[in-house]
Amino acid sequence: MTIARQAVEPQGPDTVAVPGSPPIPELSPRALHARLLENAALRRMRGAERLRNNRLEDADYWLHAAPVAVKKACALRETKSFAPLP
């Protein structure tokens, strides 16, 4: 009995990618910062939607999850120290 190698070897930073999918490129600090802020905005919008649907527990979760993404974005700006936006 021999151990067969995988038909598709993962490439790039995403080692658990679905075989055949393109590799996920490394994001620049600015792109990652923008993605984190977008994530926070989407969480707030989902929380507002849950409030309108009278799903208070879900709304509470999403509205409390939004600041976490903002804190991560702030921490990223501090650690990467890229130039301030105009």
Side-chain angles (χ1 to χ4, degrees), residues 3 8 11 38 46 52 81 83:
I3 298 174
V8 176
Q11 296 178 356
E38 179 188 20
R46 179 164 283 169
R52 284 192 304 270
S81 67

Side-chain angles (χ1 to χ4, degrees), residues 5-50:
R5 294 184 59 113
Q6 295 179 349
V8 176
E9 294 290 328
Q11 296 178 356
D14 189 11
T15 59
V16 294
V18 176
S21 66
I24 298 172
E26 290 287 332
L27 294 176
S28 70
R30 283 196 186 274
L32 184 57
H33 184 261
R35 183 173 285 180
L36 287 168
L37 292 178
E38 179 188 20
N39 189 343
L42 291 172
R43 289 175 180 195
R44 283 190 206 107
M45 289 177 11
R46 179 164 283 169
E49 175 190 343
R50 297 295 195 247

Side-chain angles (χ1 to χ4, degrees), residues 28-84:
S28 70
R30 283 196 186 274
L32 184 57
H33 184 261
R35 183 173 285 180
L36 287 168
L37 292 178
E38 179 188 20
N39 189 343
L42 291 172
R43 289 175 180 195
R44 283 190 206 107
M45 289 177 11
R46 179 164 283 169
E49 175 190 343
R50 297 295 195 247
L51 276 176
R52 284 192 304 270
N53 293 336
N54 211 19
R55 296 177 63 183
L56 302 180
E57 288 181 8
D58 286 349
D60 191 42
Y61 169 79
W62 287 109
L63 292 174
H64 283 85
V68 173
V70 173
K71 287 178 186 174
K72 286 182 181 179
C74 290
L76 176 70
R77 279 190 82 79
E78 291 173 4
T79 59
K80 296 295 181 180
S81 67
F82 49 91

